[in-house]
Amino acid sequence: MTTTSQVRVTHIGGPTALIEVGGWRLLTDPTFDPPGRRYDFGWGTSSTKTTGPSMTPADLGPIDAVLLTHDHHGDNLDDLGRAMLPDAGSVLTTESGARRIGGNARGLAPWATTTLQAEGRPTIEVTATPCRHGPPLSGPIVGDVVGFALRWDGQRHGQLWISGDTVLFQGTHEVADRLRIGTALLHLGGVRFPITGPLRYTMTARDAVQLCQALRPHTVIPVHYEGWRHFRQNRDAAEREFAAAAPDIHRSIRWLEVGVGTEIPG
């Protein structure tokens, strides 16, 4: 059985990251459109992209699987990202998203599991984890979202988890209760929209600190925290929150240089 503890993560920008492990090349939430366009998110909400990606789809090479937390918001799947989905080996996403995408898409409900298998590579068990992309009872408005926990033989510190766009709620605490997380890619930014005032739709760094107190991960990689006008907490503000956290949590934070592959303890 093939095992590995070596993981390489390239933060391409926004929620988009390339995860390389044991010969697998996995891509999260493909967003490759150039900046400047305004995107409608529905129900009176919209935002403008202010920063482009560090790489193009042509720069990436082949992708074995796309881990798509949700397909219906342009800051998680834009036009150029959508165009590359048919060329990926598979697309793992929400059940409703898989119905919309069709083709090579596999839908997963929260806590459902599937596997990625190929000769000469470690089998990766992928578990969809719950997300709530907004305040209580906002599900019918914001739509379905999932995170992904990845497990393979040889992991030293625990599973690799992509939180997806979510606030803190019972489902994120269930992740801490049910899984041992070694590396967490946390979607931050403290998203708010003028039409809904103080209501938030993703975690702030303070929320992330609270979650990490339960998760106790070895490595925390912030993603999806700037590059759009609807993000309300940029890196500088998040760093201040992390600096005030307990030393073990502060030490776990890894800000990746965008566009540069970084070796992460598995």
Side-chain angles (χ1 to χ4, degrees):
M1 182 178 294
T2 303
T3 65
T4 183
S5 60
Q6 298 299 315
V7 184
R8 183 178 177 89
V9 179
T10 306
H11 185 198
I12 295 168
T16 311
L18 176 65
I19 300 168
E20 297 173 273
V21 55
W24 291 101
R25 307 183 79 250
L26 314 176
L27 188 70
T28 67
D29 286 358
T31 54
F32 292 96
D33 287 358
R37 176 178 160 190
R38 179 176 172 271
Y39 295 74
D40 180 12
F41 296 151
W43 296 88
T45 61
S46 64
S47 185
T48 299
K49 188 173 186 176
T50 59
T51 304
S54 61
M55 304 170 69
T56 69
D59 296 327
L60 285 178
I63 298 298
D64 297 303
V66 171
L67 306 175
L68 178 59
T69 65
H70 57 303
D71 69 304
H72 52 281
H73 291 157
D75 61 328
N76 294 86
L77 181 67
D78 56 20
D79 290 348
L80 290 179
R82 188 177 296 274
M84 68 177 293
L85 295 184
D87 295 327
S90 60
V91 178
L92 307 184
T93 189
T94 62
E95 292 181 305
S96 57
R99 289 192 293 270
R100 288 187 289 265
I101 294 168
N104 59 349
R106 284 188 247 170
L108 296 174
W111 296 117
T113 296
T114 189
T115 57
L116 300 174
Q117 295 178 299
E119 186 175 356
R121 301 180 189 177
T123 295
I124 299 180
E125 181 183 86
V126 182
T127 299
T129 57
C131 294
R132 196 183 76 203
H133 196 1
L137 305 179
S138 63
I141 297 175
V142 299
D144 296 334
V145 183
V146 291
F148 299 99
L150 312 182
R151 186 178 69 82
W152 60 87
D153 286 340
Q155 288 174 318
R156 290 177 294 172
H157 301 291
Q159 297 183 48
L160 187 153
W161 180 48
I162 300 103
S163 72
D165 284 6
T166 187
V167 296
L168 280 182
F169 77 116
Q170 180 182 352
T172 52
H173 291 296
E174 288 175 1
V175 172
D177 292 339
R178 296 174 63 161
L179 303 176
R180 184 170 71 93
I181 302 301
T183 299
L185 274 66
L186 297 187
H187 290 213
L188 302 181
V191 165
R192 291 189 301 177
F193 295 100
I195 194 170
T196 53
L199 298 179
R200 292 198 184 273
Y201 295 84
T202 60
M203 288 187 286
T204 63
R206 183 172 297 180
D207 296 329
V209 168
Q210 182 179 335
L211 180 58
C212 288
Q213 288 171 339
L215 290 174
R216 295 295 174 182
H218 182 274
T219 305
V220 176
I221 300 173
V223 297
H224 211 23
Y225 51 83
E226 54 191 5
W228 290 80
R229 288 185 181 162
H230 61 302
F231 288 113
R232 301 308 169 102
Q233 188 182 62
N234 62 18
R235 174 172 172 172
D236 288 344
E239 284 186 322
R240 290 193 293 271
E241 295 281 1
F242 288 135
D248 60 330
I249 293 175
H250 187 206
R251 286 193 298 267
S252 72
I253 306 299
R254 291 285 302 273
W255 296 93
L256 301 189
E257 183 178 353
V258 175
V260 177
T262 304
E263 299 294 330
I264 301 296

